[in-house]
């Protein structure tokens, strides 16, 4: 279903989602292209769990259930026009404070439609969470399904969640994954989670900043 490729550097930031002490994952590549794991396996040295990488997507389990109103709300707001997507990506980069290169951003659900345009604007690595559509391969892009932000605590520069992925568990996981002063974007209809302070909002989204000192 998905054609995104797992960029090797992103593997270093992934963590086993099982309920135990946070630990890195060991990658075994069965098929690579450049620095990309196309087919392979992620193994947890703590609990022994194995997670396949299939078509470049790390599969921690079945795709997570969406919020009742689903990803269609945001996806419908983005036309297929490249100019519209570029405009939305520029807006997202501003909301996430991506004024300098480097770091990882996580894009939930239908925000994947802005991924290519965002990567054209700023040099970051992007992890798509429960992506809403297939993606053409691109080196700094990875994808994961079946887990709530399976990333190291304090690792992520910014997280954008859509209507489908901005559930309370996803929001709490996003706060945990954000580095101090990292930014979180979510629909305006969603309650602000603990651990962040609101910076701004409009009729579509709010943007919040992680506490300066991580919990």
């Amino acid at each position: 279903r998905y054609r995104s490729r797992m960029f090797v550097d992103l593997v270093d930031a992934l963590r086993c989602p099982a309920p135990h002490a946070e630990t890195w994952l060991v990658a075994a590549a069965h098929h690579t292209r450049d620095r990309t794991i196309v087919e392979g396996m992620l193994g947890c040295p703590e609990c022994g769990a194995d997670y396949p990488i299939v078509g470049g997507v790390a599969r921690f389990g079945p795709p997570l259930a969406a919020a009742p109103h689903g990803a269609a709300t945001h996806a419908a707001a983005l036309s297929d026009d490249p100019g519209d997507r570029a405009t939305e990506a520029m807006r997202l980069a501003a909301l996430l404070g991506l004024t300098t290169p480097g770091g990882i951003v996580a894009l939930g659900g239908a925000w994947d439609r802005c991924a290519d345009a965002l990567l054209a604007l700023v040099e970051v690595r992007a992890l798509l969470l429960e992506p809403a559509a297939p993606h053409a391969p691109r080196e700094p892009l990875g994808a994961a399904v079946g887990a709530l932000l399976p990333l190291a605590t304090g690792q992520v520069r910014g997280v954008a969640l859509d209507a489908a992925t901005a559930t309370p568990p996803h929001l709490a996981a996003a706060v945990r994954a954000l580095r101090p002063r990292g930014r979180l974007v979510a629909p305006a209809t969603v309650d602000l989670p603990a651990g962040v302070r609101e910076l701004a909002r409009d009729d579509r989204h709010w943007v919040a900043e992680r506490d300066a000192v991580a919990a």
Side-chain angles (χ1 to χ4, degrees):
R1 180 182 175 185
Y2 302 105
R3 299 193 302 273
S4 300
R5 301 186 296 175
M6 177 59 69
F7 188 42
V8 170
D9 287 353
L10 281 174
V11 173
D12 292 339
L14 293 175
R15 294 294 183 268
C16 179
H20 55 62
E22 190 173 289
T23 185
W24 67 89
L25 295 170
V26 178
H30 302 152
H31 174 54
T32 63
R33 187 179 302 128
D34 298 325
R35 299 180 64 202
T36 298
I37 301 175
V38 180
E39 306 291 335
M41 190 71 68
L42 298 172
C44 175
E46 181 75 16
C47 68
D50 289 325
Y51 305 106
I53 298 173
V54 181
V57 180
R59 297 186 176 273
F60 293 95
L64 298 177
H69 40 308
T73 303
H74 183 224
L78 291 175
S79 76
D80 291 327
D81 184 272
D84 290 343
R85 296 198 183 189
T87 298
E88 188 73 351
M90 190 175 299
R91 179 176 179 271
L92 179 60
L95 291 174
L96 292 177
L98 302 180
T99 58
T100 58
I104 296 171
V105 297
L107 306 179
W111 279 113
D112 67 339
R113 300 185 76 176
C114 291
D116 286 340
L118 183 68
L119 292 172
L121 287 172
V122 61
E123 293 182 14
V124 294
R125 289 171 283 162
L127 181 69
L128 306 182
L129 304 166
E130 309 295 326
H135 281 262
R138 184 162 183 168
E139 192 174 66
L141 193 66
V145 299
L148 298 171
L149 274 80
L151 293 161
T153 299
Q155 179 71 41
V156 184
R157 182 175 179 178
V159 178
L161 301 177
D162 74 337
T165 53
T167 63
H170 274 97
L171 288 165
V175 174
R176 176 194 57 77
L178 282 170
R179 67 192 191 189
R181 300 199 184 282
R183 290 191 179 186
L184 173 62
V185 173
T189 55
V190 172
D191 292 335
L192 205 72
V196 295
R197 67 180 183 90
E198 185 176 312
L199 297 178
R201 73 166 60 221
D202 59 19
D203 60 339
R204 295 176 59 200
H205 300 101
W206 51 252
V207 56
E209 184 180 80
R210 178 74 164 92
D211 291 342
V213 179

